[in-house]
């Protein structure tokens, strides 16, 4: 509302709002999930074999006691 000195009370002035830009919705096409890969080195394979062996190798015990 604008109250002037001698002009009296005037109606509401123009309301300036912010412009809203329309944004397009995101694409609904699903993106493929990334694929995980693991590569084990030859040394890693050797360590895995060594860790899988039993602590006591019965074949060696039998040969040495023979």
């Amino acid at each position: 509302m604008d109250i002037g000195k001698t002009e009296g009370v005037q109606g509401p002035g123009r309301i300036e709002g912010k412009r809203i830009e329309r944004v397009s919705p995101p694409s609904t096409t699903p993106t493929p999930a990334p694929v995980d890969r693991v590569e084990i080195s030859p040394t890693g394979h050797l360590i895995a074999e060594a860790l899988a062996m039993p602590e006591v190798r019965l074949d060696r015990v039998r040969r040495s006691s023979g």
Side-chain angles (χ1 to χ4, degrees), residues 2 8 12 19 24 29 31-33 39 44 47 56 59-60 65-66:
D2 184 20
R19 294 199 92 167
S24 60
T29 306
T31 57
E39 292 183 18
I47 292 171
V56 178
D59 61 325
R60 298 288 303 247
S65 64

Side-chain angles (χ1 to χ4, degrees), residues 4-59:
K5 293 181 183 175
T6 58
E7 299 163 356
V9 177
Q10 307 249 335
R14 182 179 171 139
I15 298 174
E16 296 288 334
K18 291 184 180 179
R19 294 199 92 167
I20 299 174
E21 293 183 31
R22 291 186 177 238
V23 178
S24 60
S27 173
T28 57
T29 306
T31 57
V35 178
D36 293 334
R37 286 183 20 155
V38 175
E39 292 183 18
I40 301 174
S41 68
T43 305
H45 285 289
L46 184 63
I47 292 171
E49 284 182 36
L51 291 175
M53 295 177 91
E55 283 189 44
V56 178
R57 292 183 52 192
L58 293 177
D59 61 325

